[in-house]
Amino acid sequence: MELRKGLEDVAVKETAITYIDGELGRLYYRGYSIFDLAEFSNFEETAYLIWYGKLPNEKELEELRIKLSTNRELPDSIINYIKEVKKDANPMDVLRTAISMLGVEDTDNSDIMEKSIKITSKIPTIISYFYRSRKNLEIIHPDETLSHSENFFYMLNGKKPSEIESKSMDVSLILHMDHEMNASTFACLVVASTLSDIYSSVIAGIAALKGPLHGGANAEALKQFIEIGDKKNVEDYINKRLQSGQRLMGFGHRIYKTYDPRAKIMKEYVKEITKEKGIYNLYEIANAVDEIGIKELGNKGIFPNVDFYSGLMFYSLGFDPDMFPAVFASSRVVGWTAHVVEYLKNNRLIRPKAIYIGEIGRKYLPLEDRQ
Ligand SMILES: CC(=O)SCCNC(=O)CCNC(=O)[C@H](O)C(C)(C)COP(=O)(O)OP(=O)(O)OC[C@H]1O[C@@H](n2cnc3c(N)ncnc32)[C@H](O)[C@@H]1OP(=O)(O)O
Ligand SMILES: O=C([O-])CC(=O)C(=O)O
């Protein structure tokens, strides 16, 4: 039996959701280029596309908009939990626990799609309530008149977003919404394939996304730019980092062997928003890391990935660095749940193999006879 470390190049399902061309750096949701969706679409419309397989007409879009905007509030038990949890808790742990509590509270008999929409509509509320309560600020209840992205920004910052903030938020969420069989989506499927419930699948996704090799890399990438401090230090920093065997965070990808198209799009928006926020120096450092990093690693097919610029984007939008993976999850939940629904149409228990390399037939010794 062949060992495929990291399951590289192993297909676990057929999908009509997302297609990636890792050589050319192209990404399509349901056949639509990520470049077009980022430019012309918004969170609600792209979520509809990913969940239902087509762009919605006006009525369909309005129906989804209403479901997403009227299900944002949390049960009191979860609000109390968020207010009482320790202020330095990891936001991914808080999110994971809050989704688990939602699962406990859930008594409705709606199908997985309806539950998925409700979970999606509540994640920004969980993140924003925790953000404000850890800073001893009053929580801001959701505003049904605002779009998903605008409301997220509003619940966090206490003011409605400007045009550039609103577009940047929408674009960021669109870019993170799905990415074929990444580690967190696979974790969701493993759980779903046992015919467990959708809350449990989403929790598995959050748990896998948290790690610094996956969704946690956005915070690590920003940390690098802050540590570098000035663009004249970039070359030295990269050399030291690579020579000491550390990875450049926000670089490299299992599928992309060229520039991640999402990073390309994110970079343009980050350039604009950092100017507006007075932190353009961080963009300049990031841009220098991008260029010098490619000189060092590009020949191995290692280029910036989505997490490289998204940390700087989320920072510009007001999020604390430890919250970036949770913001990522607020969008990826659409992809996770779409893949679960797709997989369950043709379910088979996911149960791979391990190649045993230990001993067999060892003699059991009573405790007192062991060395
Ligand atoms: C949303 C996302 O999840 S995007 C990914 C976010 N993660 C990061 O940015 C973390 C940094 N990047 C990485 O650790 C990796 O590129 C991963 C985990 C994303 C992909 O890893 P894999 O496809 O498994 O590649 P693997 O870990 O086997 O690395 C292959 C080689 O490239 C090197 N490499 C990979 N990424 C990097 C990097 N960021 N910096 C320096 N070297 C790297 C490895 O050291 C290894 O070198 P070697 O063959 O000389 O030992
Ligand atoms: O596809 C991957 O392995 C990681 C990634 O970029 C994502 O999940 O967005």
Side-chain angles (χ1 to χ4, degrees):
M1 189 186 312
E2 192 196 354
L3 172 63
R4 300 293 280 269
K5 219 174 158 211
L7 300 184
E8 182 160 7
D9 286 332
V10 175
V12 295
K13 83 195 255 264
E14 292 181 326
T15 187
I17 301 175
T18 289
Y19 175 68
I20 307 167
D21 183 329
E23 297 302 321
L24 295 177
R26 307 227 165 107
L27 169 62
Y28 301 87
Y29 294 162
R30 302 284 189 184
Y32 294 91
S33 161
I34 195 66
F35 289 101
D36 287 345
L37 293 169
E39 187 171 353
F40 302 118
S41 191
N42 54 49
F43 179 87
E44 287 83 346
E45 189 183 67
T46 306
Y48 188 99
L49 174 68
I50 288 187
W51 275 325
Y52 298 103
K54 68 178 208 55
L55 284 173
N57 61 30
E58 250 175 63
K59 182 168 167 280
E60 291 162 336
L61 183 58
E62 183 57 10
E63 277 170 13
L64 179 61
R65 203 196 60 72
I66 291 171
K67 283 183 195 167
L68 280 169
S69 62
T70 54
N71 280 293
R72 290 172 180 155
E73 194 51 277
L74 305 176
D76 285 346
S77 58
I78 301 183
I79 299 181
N80 292 337
Y81 160 71
I82 290 173
K83 285 183 172 168
E84 278 162 26
V85 70
K86 59 180 185 163
K87 299 202 182 320
D88 63 350
N90 183 305
M92 285 296 255
D93 297 342
V94 175
L95 179 60
R96 202 188 56 226
T97 307
I99 300 292
S100 191
M101 291 174 76
L102 272 180
V104 174
E105 299 262 339
D106 181 12
T107 48
D108 83 36
N109 287 325
S110 56
D111 64 13
I112 294 187
M113 260 322 302
E114 293 299 309
K115 287 183 197 286
S116 300
I117 294 170
K118 288 181 189 162
I119 295 171
T120 303
S121 85
K122 287 178 178 12
I123 292 182
T125 318
I126 297 168
I127 297 171
S128 307
Y129 283 5
F130 179 52
Y131 171 91
R132 293 189 69 87
S133 38
R134 77 191 325 201
K135 291 177 167 26
N136 297 316
L137 297 168
E138 277 296 308
I139 60 169
I140 296 175
H141 293 280
D143 179 341
E144 283 183 19
T145 66
L146 298 177
S147 74
H148 188 83
S149 296
E150 288 167 345
N151 176 64
F152 196 172
F153 183 95
Y154 165 69
M155 287 191 297
L156 190 89
N157 294 301
K159 60 180 169 78
K160 294 184 183 160
S162 65
E163 210 172 298
I164 180 173
E165 286 164 339
S166 171
K167 180 66 186 167
S168 300
M169 190 85 192
D170 247 341
V171 167
S172 305
L173 297 182
I174 289 170
L175 297 181
H176 286 90
M177 212 174 274
D178 191 45
H179 213 240
E180 200 230 43
M181 204 39 56
N182 57 86
S184 55
T185 302
F186 182 56
C188 295
L189 290 190
V190 171
V191 173
S193 83
T194 70
L195 300 183
S196 182
D197 63 285
I198 191 68
Y199 296 94
S200 301
S201 273
V202 169
I203 291 161
I206 294 168
L209 189 68
K210 182 183 171 193
L213 294 189
H214 191 12
N218 45 22
E220 297 297 320
L222 178 72
K223 208 194 273 172
Q224 293 173 148
F225 309 148
I226 292 172
E227 261 169 41
I228 291 171
D230 191 296
K231 65 180 180 196
K232 72 176 178 348
N233 303 329
V234 168
E235 192 149 5
D236 202 34
Y237 179 91
I238 293 181
N239 287 339
K240 278 198 186 124
R241 195 171 171 104
L242 295 180
Q243 274 159 21
S244 67
Q246 283 177 285
R247 293 182 175 201
L248 205 49
M249 300 310 276
F251 261 71
H253 201 277
R254 179 65 65 78
I255 307 295
Y256 293 117
K257 297 305 160 202
T258 183
Y259 213 107
D260 181 336
R262 300 167 299 173
K264 215 178 252 177
I265 298 168
M266 191 73 87
K267 179 175 180 174
E268 293 313 310
Y269 284 92
V270 164
K271 189 173 175 184
E272 290 315 308
I273 202 161
T274 49
K275 263 186 214 155
E276 191 163 294
K277 301 283 172 184
I279 51 170
Y280 190 67
N281 62 319
L282 282 176
Y283 168 78
E284 289 181 310
I285 294 170
N287 187 44
V289 176
D290 177 338
E291 284 175 13
I292 297 171
I294 291 175
K295 271 195 207 132
E296 290 295 324
L297 297 168
N299 63 349
K300 291 201 215 162
I302 299 172
F303 287 83
N305 60 54
V306 68
D307 282 343
F308 187 77
Y309 284 107
S310 63
L312 194 41
M313 170 58 90
F314 295 149
Y315 190 57
S316 305
L317 290 169
F319 294 96
D320 296 331
D322 66 349
M323 299 201 137
F324 301 165
V327 188
F328 188 156
S330 78
S331 165
R332 181 56 57 87
V333 66
V334 176
W336 290 336
T337 51
H339 277 280
V340 166
V341 170
E342 189 181 59
Y343 190 79
L344 289 178
K345 285 188 183 140
N346 192 12
N347 185 47
R348 188 155 191 232
L349 177 75
I350 296 177
R351 201 295 186 195
K353 279 283 295 174
I355 299 172
Y356 183 65
I357 56 161
E359 296 173 49
I360 49 170
R362 298 170 84 186
K363 188 167 162 40
Y364 182 87
L365 289 178
L367 186 56
E368 59 275 18
D369 295 346
R370 293 178 212 157
Q371 298 268 318

